[in-house]
Amino acid sequence: MKTLVLSGILVALVVITHSVIVPFEHTVLGDPFDQGVLFYLPFGFWVIVAYFERWHAALYLAPGFALGMVLYAGSGAPITARVLTLGVLTLTAPAVFAILAWASGRANHPVSEPSAWRLIVTAGLFTAMVNAIGLNLVRNSVVPDSASLTGVIQYFAGSIVGMFTCLIGLAIAFRIRKSVLNLR
């Protein structure tokens, strides 16, 4: 059930990103990103899921990633590139959280609000960097160089803006929840 819900939310964010945000970006900004998206909302969601679900996030989100790739990646990419992309997308955030937990000497994520937000943002930044480089390697078969650096920066920027958008949405949802609970 958790896989269905989390993958369903991920697919909904992919559809919103590609059906609403991308056309809006093209209308308002022209075509600023030829490889990435300025507001890539799914990234923020999968970092948050990885924070709460750790390695299980890969299992819960893999069907959503696969369906999102089928819907929007086109059929031109070889199967090897698709599988590698799926691996990069599903495993990077949980791996980054595991590395940060190991580096800090903590087995569990912090539960206090400021520590949790800092960890999510830190892990998101590292995950965005690894994803940008990894996706560049998979899609362009090249280690980032001056020619492909623009694509890496576009992937990174879109992921970060998407993450902060999701975190702001999550903070607003928590505030609304808190105010509703205080009314009772």
Side-chain angles (χ1 to χ4, degrees), residues 51 54 97-98 100-102 104-112 115-116 119:
Y51 172 78
R54 297 181 182 224
F97 277 111
L100 290 174
W102 172 79
S104 70
R106 292 183 181 170
N108 297 317
H109 296 315
V111 291
S112 68
S115 296
L119 178 61

Side-chain angles (χ1 to χ4, degrees), residues 88-130:
V88 168
L89 295 176
T90 58
L91 298 174
T92 304
V96 167
F97 277 111
I99 291 167
L100 290 174
W102 172 79
S104 70
R106 292 183 181 170
N108 297 317
H109 296 315
V111 291
S112 68
E113 252 182 68
S115 296
W117 288 107
R118 276 193 300 273
L119 178 61
I120 291 171
V121 169
T122 302
L125 291 170
F126 282 115
T127 301
M129 188 179 349
V130 172

Side-chain angles (χ1 to χ4, degrees), residues 10 13 17 21 25 37-51 92-93 96-97 100 116-131 154-172:
L10 181 63
L13 290 171
T17 297
I21 293 173
E25 283 180 15
V37 177
L38 183 58
F39 285 91
Y40 193 65
L41 296 178
F43 178 80
F45 178 70
W46 84 65
V47 168
I48 293 166
V49 171
Y51 172 78
T92 304
V96 167
F97 277 111
L100 290 174
W117 288 107
R118 276 193 300 273
L119 178 61
I120 291 171
V121 169
T122 302
L125 291 170
F126 282 115
T127 301
M129 188 179 349
V130 172
N131 277 352
Q154 289 176 358
Y155 287 132
F156 180 78
S159 295
I160 295 305
V161 172
M163 179 183 70
F164 280 113
T165 303
C166 284
L167 289 174
I168 290 168
L170 188 61
I172 291 169

Side-chain angles (χ1 to χ4, degrees), residues 32-90:
F33 284 11
D34 59 344
Q35 293 186 35
V37 177
L38 183 58
F39 285 91
Y40 193 65
L41 296 178
F43 178 80
F45 178 70
W46 84 65
V47 168
I48 293 166
V49 171
Y51 172 78
F52 288 107
E53 300 296 339
R54 297 181 182 224
W55 288 103
H56 291 113
L59 298 173
Y60 297 146
L61 296 176
F65 282 123
L67 183 56
M69 283 194 298
V70 167
L71 291 173
Y72 291 100
S75 59
I79 191 71
T80 307
R82 289 175 186 245
V83 170
L84 288 172
T85 299
L86 186 62
V88 168
L89 295 176
T90 58

